[in-house]
Amino acid sequence: MMGWGPGSVAVGRVLWLPPFGASFRVDALAIVMAVLAAYLTLSAGWFAGGYLTGGARSQGRFRAWLTAFVGVCLGVVLSADWLTFLVFWELLTLVVYSLLCYSDKKAALRYCVVQIAGAGLLSVGIARLYVETGSLVMGPVPGHLAPFFVVGIGVKAGLLGLHFWLPDVHSKAPAPVSSLLSGYVVKLGAYALIRISAGPDGFILWVGGLMALYGVVFALLQHDAKRLLAYSTVSQVGYIVAAIGAGSELALAAAACHMVTHALFKGLLFLSIGAVESDFGTRDLRFLGGVGRLRPLTFASFLVGAAAIAGLPGTSGFASKVAVKYAVEGHEAINLVLMAAGAGTAISFARLAFYAFLGDTSRLADNGRMTHARPPGALALPRNVGMLMLAAATVFMGFRPGTLPAFLGVPAPPFFTSGNVVAALVTVLAGLLGFAAFKGVLYPKPKNVPDIDRLTDAMIERLALVPTVLRMAHNGSARFYAFWTVAAVIVLLCVL
Amino acid sequence: MIDGLVAHLPAIVIILPLAAAFAIPVIDVVSARLREPFIAIATVLTSSAMFLLTSRVAAGPFAYAMGGWPAALGIVLVLDKLSAVFIVMIAVGFTTVAVYSKWSVEHGRSKYYMLLFLLTGAMAGMVLTGDLFNLFVFSEIVSIAAYSIVAHEKMRDSFEAGLKYLIFGTISGIFVLLGVSLTFAATGTLNMAMLSSLTPEIPDGTRRLILVCFLVGFGLKAGIFPLHAWLPDAHSSAPAGASAVLSGVVVKTGVYSTLRLMFTVFAVATPGAGPIFPIMAWLGTLSVITGHLLAMNQSDLKRLLAYSTVAQVGYIFIGLGAASPSGLAGAAYHAFNHTFMKAALFMAAGTIVSVTGCRRIDRLNGLFERMPVTTVSLALAAVAIVGIPPFNGFMSKWTIMLGALEAGQIIPVLVIPLGTALSAVYYFRILSRMFTPVPTSALQRSRVVRRVEAPWYVLACVGLLVAACVVFGGIPGVAALPRYLTTMSDEILRGDLYVRAVVGP
């Protein structure tokens, strides 16, 4: 549709409800997303083998859901019309809900309801699009319908303000599911944004820039390692959204590149923290320390992921961040914001490495976690396979940064120029120094920093009173109900 | 002989169940051993007559004059595409419930089946009759049978619910009767087809009064906000099978009557009709919101399902209120789908209640391990009713949305996805409980210790209904239903085909 890659290949329309058909399309972007889904799920599946407790039956069911996950994701990225897209989009919510139920039912329900509400808004947009234009082909949408689409999709992508569910759900999910959520599901939102992109859009550009900064500031303040990673996802999706807002063909390709690399390294980071959590029973930075010496392979995987997210040359993160930098060329303010966010990312991961993996094990011992530590044993092998898969891909894409742009059919920008490398190294160095300088401020504090989710929680609490009040009006007295009926008749007579 | 019978099918589908209803107690007195075979035969005959009748709809609407009297003098029965949809719903609801009740009803079987047959025959009469007074009579029979079947379990709750239903059913009857008499006084006829050309001449004030009478009368039967208060009590206290037929089919007869009167008889879709359609859309919108919100903090499984019915009828009214081709098609589609979804939900819930002896949602933990088939059926039906594509609930809501957009009503359109999200809250809460692997002590203490399922035919009933929920969501190739519904809404909006079938060209 963008003239990318080897050209669009339209594959069949299956007759569905007339006048609607399910139509599918394969193009370069769709192929990239499809392969990514399969690869990430495979690694998560391996990892789950050493992570999940519960018998073989529970494991088997989990794998079945993972398989369903891949299938539904393929449906999302390959569909060529909005109704087909919506079908898979909602089914995805259902599958993720079932996966989330393996750890936290409350978070699962929250995710499900929020996503169904978002998809509902999207469905209003799609219905209006159909009634007004008579077409359901995926592509840029008319301006007055864009809010429905952007907000509906944004709920899945965790756009600024619509991310209220994200830190909670991503941190409470089982680690392999977190890796899929942060690595892939959120990217599907970005993918849909690419599909509706109609050229440069200042609003989207700034939403992306602000997200990048907002996410990283909150990431710096977390004590829960997975919450930190979740906020860092908000920040990294900000990069992607900013590139989508820049809107040129090159920029969209850059967004796609960052989607892929972030999926790989954020998946890796979630898996490595998950491994730590499953061995030591905590992921709280206040209680961890010295894990690097006890679990060197996990530490190594973590380092690869952290280096990539900080944008160290030679990792995939460097390549895609450079691509995004080229994408937002000409928007100096955004470029500065993204650089600041990059430094912040470096600080937050230096902090995570320091409190979780470095130092001695005294804090673990103090809190009695050492005695409970689960020996990795036979569980380690499947887990390590999962992590190594992602680490290898991260390193490969770091050394061959031109592969992905070439596949997407855009000219690869020069990656390893001295300017880029120096800028990346300076950012990382600034991060390390920044952490050293502000170590006192950044010491993990026991409380979660209030975010917009406090606001939404409070709102939901107030709204929950409505059913209670309504229920009081249903007191079971027939006399009272009869009064309603009479009132209804009078009102109807008046208005008709 | 067979051809002769086929010609009389419209009368047969009404008379056969009514006759069976009166025969059952007599046979029970004569010989209790003959009762069960008789019920089985009558069930098979009734449902096959109904399906056979609907297969004749393709040729266009046709009228059947009772006793050979012409339309102006006698009573006509008319089968058009709209009534065929409702006949299918009645047939499906009746057949599955009749089979299901073989297991679920242990005491007072002859009374129960008598009421069920009475209900079925009267409902068939309501959707087939072409006469206004006849409609009133049949709707009263439906109500009387429904009150008694609600009170069938003879518990304190069910008596109270039955009494409440009786009070509001009577109020509804009064309004319908008032509407019928006003119509007769103003036009001098009660034949629907003839009325459709006379109603535009009724003075404006009288016409309004008549419309309000019918809207309130049949709105009460359909359980639309703010006339829904009796419904949760009645539908949750009835025996499981009766709940399925009440929620799945009986409330739809209210929907059918509203549709028939507003479109065919009063032809208010014509310009200058006044705000009746926006009002219906608003009533529907408020029903959706109230129904879902009230269902949210119910702890009783069946009561929750009953409140969900209020909300689902709201969606149907939004479609009616749109009064556009897609809106009507969507309304009929949703009514049709809701029969399958809600009947499956009530039957599955009834199975769970009678096997575990517990109606509280917070005690359902671990049910999946005990009753996998029932639990999965309930889960699929719940997902369908929430409106996750590609299940049928989504497709009909989507059609209603298109219809409301065609009519330019944006608020109902926004309320539909809101309702979806609200219903996700309470249905998914049930699902997470059922699939939680560890059973609570409450369930362990109950009679269930191992895997205990209902007999195969009960599972088959629920399973078939759930399978229909998947199929009617538009499995490729089953596109015939939406296409049928589109031609149906054209037929209703044009109106002349129906009239011509009755009074001739």
Side-chain angles (χ1 to χ4, degrees):
Chain A
M1 57 137 219
M2 302 263 171
W4 284 0
S8 305
V9 190
V11 181
R13 256 170 77 88
V14 186
L15 189 66
W16 192 26
L17 293 188
F20 313 112
S23 48
F24 297 94
R25 173 235 323 95
V26 181
D27 62 7
L29 182 60
I31 293 174
V32 169
M33 293 301 288
V35 172
L36 184 64
Y39 195 76
L40 267 184
T41 314
L42 194 60
S43 75
W46 269 102
F47 185 86
Y51 174 84
L52 283 184
T53 51
R57 246 179 113 186
S58 155
Q59 286 263 2
R61 272 186 212 149
F62 188 79
R63 299 256 162 83
W65 282 115
L66 282 185
T67 314
F69 176 82
V70 181
V72 172
C73 286
L74 291 191
V76 171
V77 296
L78 294 179
S79 46
D81 69 272
W82 283 112
L83 199 61
T84 317
F85 177 81
L86 187 67
V87 169
F88 288 109
W89 190 255
E90 297 242 41
L91 280 178
L92 179 66
T93 303
L94 207 62
V95 173
V96 171
Y97 168 80
S98 315
L99 284 170
L100 284 174
C101 276
Y102 276 81
S103 62
D104 189 318
K105 295 228 150 57
K106 234 175 156 179
L109 187 62
R110 167 179 253 221
Y111 178 82
C112 180
V113 171
V114 170
Q115 294 307 324
I116 285 181
L121 211 54
L122 183 63
S123 75
V124 173
I126 295 172
R128 287 190 65 180
L129 182 75
Y130 179 71
V131 170
E132 285 168 26
T133 67
S135 153
L136 281 171
V137 178
M138 272 180 90
V141 293
H144 67 288
L145 296 181
F148 288 104
F149 281 84
V150 171
V151 175
I153 291 167
V155 170
K156 197 148 250 155
L159 287 190
L160 193 63
L162 301 173
H163 71 281
F164 57 89
W165 54 273
L166 193 147
D168 189 49
V169 171
H170 284 208
S171 60
K172 285 179 180 158
V177 180
S178 302
S179 104
L180 290 177
L181 271 176
S182 253
Y184 197 76
V185 177
V186 167
K187 302 311 177 345
L188 283 178
Y191 165 84
L193 281 180
I194 292 185
R195 291 296 185 195
I196 62 169
S197 157
D201 186 327
F203 176 72
I204 300 281
L205 184 72
W206 272 102
V207 166
L210 291 178
M211 269 174 85
L213 213 53
Y214 186 91
V216 86
V217 168
F218 274 88
L220 281 173
L221 301 172
Q222 303 303 317
H223 63 88
D224 176 339
K226 276 171 88 176
R227 255 181 110 82
L228 188 158
L229 292 179
Y231 273 111
S232 138
T233 295
V234 173
S235 165
Q236 297 298 313
V237 171
Y239 280 80
I240 300 169
V241 172
I244 295 171
S248 66
E249 205 161 290
L250 188 74
L252 294 184
C257 286
H258 200 58
M259 270 155 68
V260 173
T261 58
H262 178 250
L264 295 171
F265 61 67
K266 186 52 67 66
L268 178 58
L269 287 167
F270 264 113
L271 293 189
S272 51
I273 294 297
V276 171
E277 189 192 2
S278 102
D279 283 351
F280 298 99
T282 180
R283 52 172 198 261
D284 195 319
L285 293 186
R286 290 171 297 160
F287 308 138
L288 286 170
V291 174
R293 216 175 311 150
L294 300 169
R295 300 282 185 274
L297 204 68
T298 308
F299 185 39
S301 311
F302 171 81
L303 278 184
V304 172
I309 202 169
L312 200 70
T315 60
S316 62
F318 167 75
S320 56
K321 279 191 177 177
V322 167
V324 171
K325 202 173 106 189
Y326 281 117
V328 296
E329 224 165 26
H331 307 280
E332 280 317 310
I334 289 289
N335 211 351
L336 280 178
V337 167
L338 292 187
M339 272 168 76
T345 304
I347 298 179
S348 60
F349 280 88
R351 175 169 170 265
L352 180 53
F354 182 82
Y355 287 114
F357 291 96
L358 300 177
D360 53 32
T361 53
S362 59
R363 271 182 305 168
L364 271 176
D366 285 350
N367 291 288
R369 306 282 176 186
M370 279 298 275
T371 47
H372 293 301
R374 197 152 68 116
L379 301 176
L381 180 69
R383 260 179 12 196
N384 291 342
V385 171
M387 289 193 282
L388 281 178
M389 273 177 74
L390 296 180
T394 300
V395 174
F396 170 78
M397 291 190 63
F399 284 103
R400 301 288 295 277
T403 321
L404 198 53
F407 185 77
L408 290 172
V410 293
F415 286 105
F416 293 107
T417 64
S418 52
N420 288 340
V421 173
V422 169
L425 287 176
V426 167
T427 313
V428 174
L429 210 62
L432 292 176
L433 288 176
F435 175 64
F438 296 106
K439 219 168 113 186
V441 186
L442 294 172
Y443 187 79
K445 307 202 178 41
K447 269 194 174 164
N448 280 337
V449 187
D451 186 11
I452 192 163
D453 55 347
R454 290 285 165 86
L455 211 70
T456 48
D457 283 356
M459 229 163 70
I460 290 167
E461 223 165 87
R462 299 280 182 291
L463 283 178
L465 291 177
V466 177
T468 319
V469 173
L470 262 179
R471 208 177 167 185
M472 272 151 55
H474 288 69
N475 53 2
S477 145
R479 220 174 298 167
F480 190 62
Y481 294 165
F483 165 74
W484 279 28
T485 312
V486 174
V489 174
I490 292 170
V491 170
L492 280 177
L493 275 175
C494 291
V495 293
L496 202 67
Chain B
M1 166 70 186
I2 296 291
D3 281 349
L5 274 180
V6 167
H8 294 291
L9 267 180
I12 290 173
V13 297
I14 302 171
I15 293 168
L16 187 66
L18 290 183
F22 292 111
I24 289 171
V26 177
I27 288 177
D28 196 36
V29 171
V30 174
S31 157
R33 271 194 324 176
L34 285 178
R35 186 187 65 208
E36 295 302 319
F38 179 80
I39 289 173
I41 293 169
T43 306
V44 171
L45 285 179
T46 305
S47 55
S48 38
M50 283 180 172
F51 285 116
L52 204 59
L53 173 67
T54 52
S55 67
R56 291 190 52 187
V57 77
F62 73 93
Y64 171 86
M66 291 284 266
W69 295 88
L73 298 173
I75 290 170
V76 286
L77 302 177
V78 189
L79 180 82
D80 67 347
K81 288 201 163 62
L82 176 66
S83 30
V85 173
F86 282 82
I87 286 285
V88 172
M89 285 160 54
I90 294 169
V92 167
F94 162 71
T95 317
T96 47
V97 169
V99 176
Y100 179 85
S101 302
K102 181 175 164 42
W103 172 71
S104 69
V105 178
E106 286 164 10
H107 306 292
R109 289 178 58 83
S110 82
K111 269 184 227 157
Y112 178 89
Y113 274 98
M114 179 193 82
L115 293 172
L116 186 62
F117 275 100
L118 194 61
L119 202 57
T120 307
M123 284 195 294
M126 272 182 91
V127 297
L128 285 177
T129 184
D131 183 277
L132 213 49
F133 190 74
N134 212 220
L135 180 70
F136 165 72
V137 171
F138 279 128
S139 88
E140 284 302 286
I141 302 178
V142 168
S143 300
I144 289 164
Y147 312 144
S148 331
I149 215 166
V150 163
H152 182 263
E153 283 182 351
K154 296 188 183 165
M155 311 279 239
R156 195 176 170 279
D157 279 358
S158 49
F159 278 131
E160 189 192 327
L163 187 65
K164 226 177 259 176
Y165 195 1
L166 176 77
I167 294 171
F168 286 90
T170 312
I171 295 177
S172 145
I174 291 169
F175 275 102
V176 173
L177 186 61
L178 197 59
V180 172
S181 12
L182 283 172
T183 314
F184 186 67
T187 62
T189 179
L190 286 171
N191 183 287
M192 291 185 189
M194 290 173 166
L195 274 172
S196 74
S197 59
L198 296 175
T199 44
E201 278 137 44
I202 299 177
D204 224 29
T206 319
R207 213 167 97 120
R208 262 181 222 174
L209 194 59
I210 294 173
L211 287 180
V212 170
C213 284
F214 281 133
L215 190 58
V216 172
F218 288 116
L220 263 167
K221 291 250 190 311
I224 194 80
F225 176 89
L227 313 168
H228 65 280
W230 57 271
L231 190 148
D233 282 344
H235 288 196
S236 60
S237 309
S243 301
V245 90
L246 287 175
S247 245
V249 194
V250 173
V251 292
K252 306 310 167 28
T253 59
V255 170
Y256 167 85
S257 311
T258 314
L259 214 170
R260 181 60 86 203
L261 288 171
M262 296 302 166
F263 288 90
T264 310
V265 176
F266 284 90
V268 270
T270 49
I276 183 86
F277 287 115
I279 286 175
M280 278 162 70
W282 271 106
L283 290 181
T285 309
L286 292 172
S287 283
V288 170
I289 296 173
T290 339
H292 283 317
L293 286 180
L294 281 165
M296 272 168 100
N297 57 9
Q298 297 301 325
S299 52
D300 179 322
L301 186 57
K302 282 181 78 178
R303 220 177 152 73
L304 181 148
L305 294 179
Y307 274 114
S308 154
T309 297
V310 173
Q312 301 297 326
V313 171
Y315 291 119
I316 300 172
F317 265 69
I318 290 176
L320 293 186
S324 58
S326 300
L328 283 185
Y333 195 4
H334 200 64
F336 184 77
N337 289 341
H338 182 249
T339 297
F340 290 89
M341 304 186 286
K342 198 43 78 60
L345 282 170
F346 263 121
M347 286 186 201
T351 313
I352 291 168
V353 171
S354 55
V355 170
T356 66
C358 158
R359 295 170 60 138
R360 290 180 61 87
I361 294 165
D362 51 10
R363 302 227 175 114
L364 291 179
N365 287 24
L367 200 70
F368 175 64
E369 312 289 331
R370 302 287 187 270
M371 304 173 72
V373 181
T374 309
T375 309
V376 169
S377 306
L378 192 138
L380 285 175
V383 168
I385 205 168
V386 166
I388 304 284
F391 291 97
N392 58 356
F394 168 80
M395 286 321 294
S396 46
K397 279 194 213 171
W398 161 260
T399 318
I400 292 173
M401 259 163 91
L402 292 183
L405 280 173
E406 282 166 9
Q409 297 164 337
I410 189 71
I411 290 173
V413 174
L414 287 174
V415 164
I416 290 175
L418 176 72
T420 306
L422 290 178
S423 59
V425 175
Y426 57 86
Y427 276 116
F428 278 86
R429 212 181 55 207
I430 301 177
L431 297 199
S432 18
R433 288 220 172 267
M434 292 192 313
F435 288 98
T436 304
V438 196
T440 57
S441 51
L443 201 68
Q444 280 170 334
R445 259 188 277 117
S446 74
R447 278 181 283 153
V448 185
V449 278
R450 287 174 296 112
R451 180 173 294 192
V452 182
E453 286 277 16
W456 67 270
Y457 54 88
V458 169
L459 300 181
C461 270
V462 181
L464 280 177
L465 288 172
V466 170
C469 291
V470 182
V471 169
F472 291 128
I475 294 290
V478 192
L481 179 66
R483 203 175 286 138
Y484 173 89
L485 290 169
T486 313
T487 52
M488 182 209 78
S489 62
D490 285 346
E491 196 181 286
I492 300 170
L493 287 171
R494 279 177 59 198
D496 59 335
L497 285 173
Y498 182 93
V499 176
R500 237 184 293 158
V502 179
V503 294

